[in-house]
Amino acid sequence: MAPALRHDPSVGNPERYRERQWVCALVDQWPAGPAPQQVVVVSCQRQSGDWAALAGLNPTRTLVLALGGEHGRPLPWLQHSGLRVAQCYLPPTLQSRWRTRLPLGPSGFLPRLPPVPWADRDVPLSFVGWLHPRRSALYRLVSGHRLPGPLPSLLRAQLNGVLDGRVVPGSVLRFGERFGHGLDSDAYAQVLRRTQVALCPPGTRQDETFRHWEAARSGCVLVGARVPGTGPPVLPMPSTAAALTDLLSSPDLLKHQHARVGAWWAQSGRPAQVAASLAAWWAAG
């Protein structure tokens, strides 16, 4: 029987938050065997020392899913509560019987569309997202220039108009002003399912991003920052446009990497596999 799912007020609207589909899938697909009686979802981003929904809970029957919070540090209040916590962005070195890393999963705001077969994909390279300072290497790669601090809106608009196809014919490159802005969700999902190579630079404070999971689910070859722990296979970001061209001109390598990503998703990335990993950690404690 699947655990009961509860939400702390810190999450906001429990029917509409980015990780909802992922969280519900993990709970619904919890395997047979030892299981918490309930799973309580909290936000690491909006809290003032404790979470109302956790008051008085039985630590031996409750699993806390702590979302957000790119600081990646164990939460002090939860450390002393006796509750067991699966927390986003937690470094693998800090995992224990009391806390484990919770993978981000794909954004629930992104429609899940069937991937286009590899041979039929017509977008050789794509990136849609926020161009912040930790992505300066990506900016230099696609523009040939250093990132001039925060990217002015006018320059961003100009880049969006000229970079498609400049580095690689048929590429789709879109830069937003902040997280979640670039293309609308439907258009972005269409791009991903047709993409061969998805650029996956680091997030603002951590290397793991929703893009890693969305691109892996879509069967793309991931190029950029590696996800700590047992994340999807990722090739390093090329340092020059010439190196990127060489990578995209290596069909055997790309096809092999595409197969590796697909195998990882089937064996480790789907909600059922992630739920099984959480269940094994829960049972071992």
Side-chain angles (χ1 to χ4, degrees), residues 36-111:
Q37 189 176 70
Q38 60 184 340
V39 171
V40 182
V41 183
V42 305
S43 172
C44 299
Q45 296 176 327
R46 294 185 298 273
Q47 57 91 19
S48 56
D50 62 309
W51 293 266
L54 301 182
L57 296 182
N58 185 334
T60 64
R61 298 181 179 180
T62 303
L63 171 62
V64 178
L65 300 185
L67 308 179
E70 285 193 69
H71 50 73
R73 299 185 302 271
L75 302 167
W77 189 89
L78 286 178
Q79 277 188 285
H80 304 292
S81 68
L83 293 164
R84 300 183 67 189
V85 183
Q87 180 181 339
C88 292
Y89 303 112
L90 187 73
T93 54
L94 295 181
Q95 294 184 133
S96 69
R97 61 173 296 198
W98 301 108
R99 55 182 181 254
T100 192
R101 185 182 181 93
L102 177 65
L104 289 182
S107 169
F109 296 159
L110 192 70

Side-chain angles (χ1 to χ4, degrees), residues 70 89 134 200-203 205-209 212 225-228:
E70 285 193 69
Y89 303 112
R134 289 194 81 218
C200 297
R205 298 180 68 179
Q206 299 286 338
D207 288 346
E208 182 181 13
T209 67
H212 286 86
R226 293 188 60 187
V227 175

Side-chain angles (χ1 to χ4, degrees), residues 125 141-143 162-169 171 173 241 244-245 248:
L125 180 74
L141 178 65
V142 299
S143 72
V162 303
L163 282 180
D164 281 1
R166 172 180 167 178
V167 179
V168 178
S171 59
L173 301 169
L244 176 61
T245 300
L248 296 173

Side-chain angles (χ1 to χ4, degrees), residues 215-277:
R217 184 178 66 180
S218 297
C220 306
V221 172
L222 282 65
V223 171
R226 293 188 60 187
V227 175
T230 56
V234 182
L235 296 176
M237 184 77 76
S239 58
T240 66
L244 176 61
T245 300
D246 288 344
L247 173 64
L248 296 173
S249 301
S250 305
D252 291 342
L253 171 62
L254 294 180
K255 189 172 182 180
H256 171 72
Q257 193 70 7
H258 164 68
R260 286 187 65 205
V261 172
W264 175 85
W265 179 259
Q267 297 168 10
S268 304
R270 294 185 302 171
Q273 278 66 46
V274 175
S277 178

Side-chain angles (χ1 to χ4, degrees), residues 5 17-29 41 65 67 88 101-109 112 208 210 213-214 217 264-265 268-275 278:
L5 180 61
Y17 60 96
R18 189 172 299 275
E19 301 91 345
R20 178 175 172 78
Q21 289 186 16
W22 179 246
V23 165
C24 290
L26 295 181
V27 172
D28 292 343
Q29 298 184 47
V41 183
L65 300 185
L67 308 179
C88 292
R101 185 182 181 93
L102 177 65
L104 289 182
S107 169
F109 296 159
R112 183 173 184 178
E208 182 181 13
F210 291 107
W213 290 82
E214 294 157 359
R217 184 178 66 180
W264 175 85
W265 179 259
S268 304
R270 294 185 302 171
Q273 278 66 46
V274 175
L278 286 175

